[in-house]
Amino acid sequence: MSLPIDEHVNAVKTVVVPAAGLGTRFLPATKTVPKELLPVVDTPGIELIAGEAAELGATRLAIITAPNKAGVLAHFDRALELEGTLLERGKTDQVEKVRRAAELIEAVPVTQEKPLGLGHAVGLAESVLDDDEDVVAVMLPDDLVLPTGVMERMAQVRAQFGGSVLCAVEVSEAEVSNYGIFEISAETSELDVKKVEGMVEKPAIADAPSRFAATGRYLLDRKIFDALRRITPGAGGELQLTDAIDLLIDEGHPVHIVIHQGKRHDLGNPGGYIPACVDFGLSHPVYGAQLKQAIKQILAEHEAEENAAEFAVESVVVDSQVK
Ligand code: G1P
């Protein structure tokens, strides 16, 4: 029987959140607003991640940012003047919203001077760990894995099998080249857990060892930092976290995946961000019902426009045949 995470000697204290990317897929919004601060309904994506980290029992969020992205850290500061104004106006609900990020967890800045890759970004976080931290979590803020709780499951799996544990989802063949893909072997005693034999970053379809893809949640043994120092640039010319994990596996380090069956959103591009907002919006106690009506109406209007356009094309064809 695995131990609850808070009793486990390797309980997670630090969650590393790489947030140094340029957000090019979100331009022009990300010209001045960091991608991680874009709101899902009213809450920045990074605050959702902080909430998940706090739920796991972590006390420190090591946010890796680029020098020009100070706003991400500022979101975790208190805003005393704003709080004062809101209090004066009796807006206590809003005060709680403003305070929440600062109260959830201690955000610690780590600066990545140059965009040298995810592996490089994660490696920088070693400097903020305490000596007794044998395990570190990494959560990619682009990935929302729902319902939350997968990290707790991963911690149980680490307590049971040791080593490092990652979260995986099954993707289509066409999608494998967007992800870190696992080579898996034998089943384990747990239905949702598989042992990993290797990992490859963004393989071509023909080279993909499976369709199980890494999805932004990692529970890594501290040994990862040593491996990160020994890798060379990989896919895209960047230092890849995937390659450091693969190196550890080659050296006999146990790595397992928890196969996530729930929902997942990719906040890293508008095509994934919009459905995430709709999903969160529909579940929202204030906006949900109204949003549902609005979506139905928008869909009906689009369908009517499409039908009208089809009818117009058909009429032109008939007219030309008559002439
Ligand atoms: C990163 C990782 C990749 C992982 C993906 C999940 O890629 O390198 O292994 O599967 O996140 O979202 P990125 O999306 O940053 O290119």
Side-chain angles (χ1 to χ4, degrees):
M1 194 40 213
S2 43
L3 293 168
I5 178 66
D6 52 349
E7 289 172 27
H8 186 228
V9 283
N10 289 328
V12 178
K13 267 195 210 169
T14 303
V15 171
V16 179
V17 183
L22 294 174
T24 48
R25 288 176 293 179
F26 257 113
L27 285 168
T30 45
K31 190 173 156 190
T32 55
V33 181
K35 173 179 70 172
E36 297 76 13
L37 293 183
L38 296 177
V40 179
V41 186
D42 56 6
T43 306
I46 193 131
E47 189 174 321
L48 297 176
I49 295 287
E52 190 181 335
E55 217 178 283
L56 175 67
T59 49
R60 183 190 289 138
L61 205 63
I63 303 182
I64 321 289
T65 54
N68 60 345
K69 288 181 77 177
V72 178
L73 256 298
H75 184 70
F76 291 89
D77 291 342
R78 291 286 294 273
L80 297 178
E81 217 180 301
L82 175 59
E83 285 177 28
T85 311
L86 292 170
L87 276 174
E88 271 168 29
R89 296 181 186 176
K91 296 187 184 292
T92 44
D93 285 1
Q94 266 89 337
V95 173
E96 267 174 40
K97 284 186 175 189
V98 169
R99 279 186 189 155
R100 182 171 177 265
E103 285 173 349
L104 271 175
I105 201 158
E106 183 201 359
V108 180
V110 180
T111 305
Q112 186 186 30
E113 298 290 342
K114 289 191 184 134
L116 299 177
L118 179 60
H120 178 255
V122 171
L124 296 171
E126 188 179 19
S127 61
V128 308
L129 297 192
D130 295 337
D131 290 345
D132 65 351
E133 290 186 71
D134 293 332
V135 62
V136 64
V138 177
M139 294 187 190
L140 304 188
D142 278 358
D143 288 309
L144 290 185
V145 181
L146 301 165
T148 56
V150 75
M151 291 297 298
E152 282 85 340
R153 175 66 185 135
M154 288 158 63
Q156 286 174 348
V157 171
R158 176 173 149 92
Q160 194 173 350
F161 295 99
S164 298
V165 183
L166 283 75
C167 177
V169 291
E170 205 165 355
V171 298
S172 70
E173 204 176 54
E175 289 174 301
V176 290
S177 57
N178 297 328
Y179 294 97
I181 300 292
F182 300 105
E183 181 186 344
I184 48 172
S185 68
E187 307 288 319
T188 66
S189 51
E190 303 290 308
L191 268 180
D192 59 339
V193 179
K194 293 191 192 301
K195 187 166 194 312
V196 179
E197 296 296 326
M199 196 178 172
V200 46
E201 182 69 10
K202 303 193 172 74
I205 294 177
D207 303 330
S210 78
R211 291 199 283 114
F212 289 109
T215 183
R217 298 292 180 277
Y218 307 74
L219 201 55
L220 300 169
D221 191 280
R222 196 180 180 122
K223 289 191 179 82
I224 194 67
F225 295 109
D226 178 54
L228 283 167
R229 276 188 283 275
R230 292 186 283 132
I231 54 166
T232 51
E238 295 187 338
L239 292 166
Q240 296 292 352
L241 182 57
T242 293
D243 293 344
I245 295 167
D246 190 52
L247 178 61
L248 285 180
I249 298 170
D250 279 351
E251 295 173 351
H253 180 75
V255 174
H256 290 81
I257 48 173
V258 168
I259 316 271
H260 177 67
Q261 300 289 1
K263 285 198 252 187
R264 186 176 59 107
H265 291 296
D266 177 2
L267 300 182
N269 68 86
Y273 173 82
I274 296 166
C277 292
V278 171
D279 192 12
F280 275 68
L282 286 172
S283 310
H284 196 281
V286 177
Y287 309 118
Q290 198 189 343
L291 178 63
K292 194 170 176 182
Q293 284 310 315
I295 290 173
K296 280 186 188 164
Q297 192 180 334
I298 293 167
L299 284 174
E301 284 165 3
H302 273 256
E303 245 164 62
E305 278 169 26
E306 277 162 23
N307 289 342
E310 260 174 47
F311 181 73
V313 171
E314 278 164 20
S315 309
V316 170
V317 173
V318 172
D319 276 358
S320 63
Q321 282 167 352
V322 171
K323 282 175 192 161

